[in-house]
Amino acid sequence: MRPIAYIETTVVSYLTARPSRDVVILAHQQATREWWRTAQEKFHLAASALVIREAGQGDPTAARARLMALDGVTLLDATAEAEQLARELIALGAVSPGAAVDAAHIAIAVTNRVHYLVTWNFRHIANAAMRSRIERVCRSTGYEPPVICTPHELMEVSHGDQ
């Protein structure tokens, strides 16, 4: 069975956006596209209605591209259990109160027991300080957290490439 990877909205945004002039963002976009080419072979891709809602916002053409990319991705439930965990993540300081949507992404991934939460959100999710806090809160509430990572971190390099 393939591991489950929850695709947070930033991933699909980088996947479908026009190439950025910012070299760092451009590198993230390229890594995302490279990862996406084989992701469905290696992972069971999942998202949530929250990702669909966020992906559908903004410029209609860009939103349509994001939603098309998500077509066929399994949608996970945002249960009462996930809502409670999101509140705990905020109350216990793992996620700031202003990032409630990010807490919801984390909680949906955690309560659905995914293996990876894939994101480019370094501010509230994928940074060393946040990861350790998120993991601590998840474990203290009885959950095993997923690996929080970027698409680049999930790309496999063959040993011959080193």
Side-chain angles (χ1 to χ4, degrees), residues 35-104:
W35 177 74
W36 193 263
R37 278 193 288 274
T38 61
Q40 291 184 338
E41 297 167 10
K42 298 176 181 178
F43 303 96
H44 181 84
L45 301 181
S48 65
L50 178 56
V51 172
I52 299 297
R53 187 178 77 223
E54 288 181 317
Q57 295 174 345
D59 175 76
T61 303
R64 194 168 27 262
R66 289 188 296 269
L67 293 172
M68 284 177 57
L70 289 166
D71 189 46
V73 170
T74 300
L75 294 184
L76 303 177
D77 292 329
T79 61
E81 182 182 16
E83 291 174 16
Q84 177 59 35
L85 180 57
R87 286 191 295 273
E88 290 291 324
L89 287 163
I90 293 168
L92 297 174
V95 178
S96 71
V101 170
D102 296 325

Side-chain angles (χ1 to χ4, degrees), residues 5 12 15 24 38 45 47-49 53 57 60-62 69 78 90 98-99 103 113 122 128 141 143 154 156 160 162:
V12 73
L15 175 68
V24 173
T38 61
L45 301 181
S48 65
R53 187 178 77 223
Q57 295 174 345
T61 303
I90 293 168
R113 292 161 178 74
F122 295 113
T141 55
Y143 298 100
L154 277 181
E156 294 181 21
Q162 295 180 358

